[in-house]
Every structure is written in structure tokens, then in C-alpha cells.
Amino acid sequence: MTLPARGFDLLKDVDVRLTVELGRTAMKLKDVLTLGPESVVMLDRLTDELLDVMVNGTLIARGEIVADNGRFALRIVELAGDDASAEAA
């Protein structure tokens, strides 16, 4: 089923949760409880790897962090399921 382009206008004002995941790690609760202001937590991702961009928990893209006017921003590098970017990698 395909909706006409104007059919998506109804969805433009729907709130969604956009999440950018830097990485993950597994820790024991006792180790989490010892974290403080100077603690460093190692993640499973390297600094040159793309970050996961998710909407409501579903991966939609990959991107990289950039600085823009003194703030962090996200540059989308590839869309999930985009065969052209997968072949270039």
C-alpha cells in the first residue's frame, strides 16, 4: 500500500524520540555505583566509527559528530538500508 505524498502531511507533527548512540558497555551494578565526576567508561565503539541514529529505537541512519557555532551537531553520513552507501564502504 502506498500513500499519496500529501498523506504523509498528517504525520509531520507527530513527536518521535531521536537518539544518537555513541556506544555501549556492560557493567555490574556495583561498578555503576562507584562512578563519579572523573570516571571514564570505555564503550564498544572506536572514535572513528559512525554513530547510530535511531527513531523510537529503530536504526534509521549513521552519522558523525561535528561542532557548529560552539554546539555539538550530527552530520548524517548514510541512511539505514541505503544500498549505495553500503556498497561504497
Side-chain angles (χ1 to χ4, degrees):
M1 176 177 137
T2 59
L3 293 174
R6 64 188 166 105
F8 286 109
D9 288 343
L10 296 172
L11 301 176
K12 287 184 180 179
D13 291 326
V14 174
D15 287 335
V16 296
R17 179 175 296 264
L18 177 75
T19 306
V20 178
E21 185 174 287
L22 297 174
R24 294 181 182 199
T25 193
M27 298 176 71
K28 294 186 182 291
L29 180 57
K30 68 178 182 178
D31 296 328
V32 172
L33 294 173
T34 64
L35 294 176
E38 300 295 321
S39 298
V40 175
V41 177
M42 299 301 290
L43 302 175
D44 63 350
R45 189 165 290 169
L46 300 175
T47 56
D48 61 345
E49 290 183 69
L50 296 176
L51 308 176
D52 292 338
V53 181
M54 295 175 281
V55 169
N56 292 344
T58 300
L59 180 70
I60 63 156
R62 291 198 182 354
E64 58 191 10
I65 296 295
V66 296
D68 185 28
N69 294 325
R71 298 186 68 156
F72 288 116
L74 176 72
R75 176 184 298 132
I76 301 297
V77 175
E78 64 186 43
L79 297 175
D82 185 3
D83 294 335
S85 63
E87 292 172 8

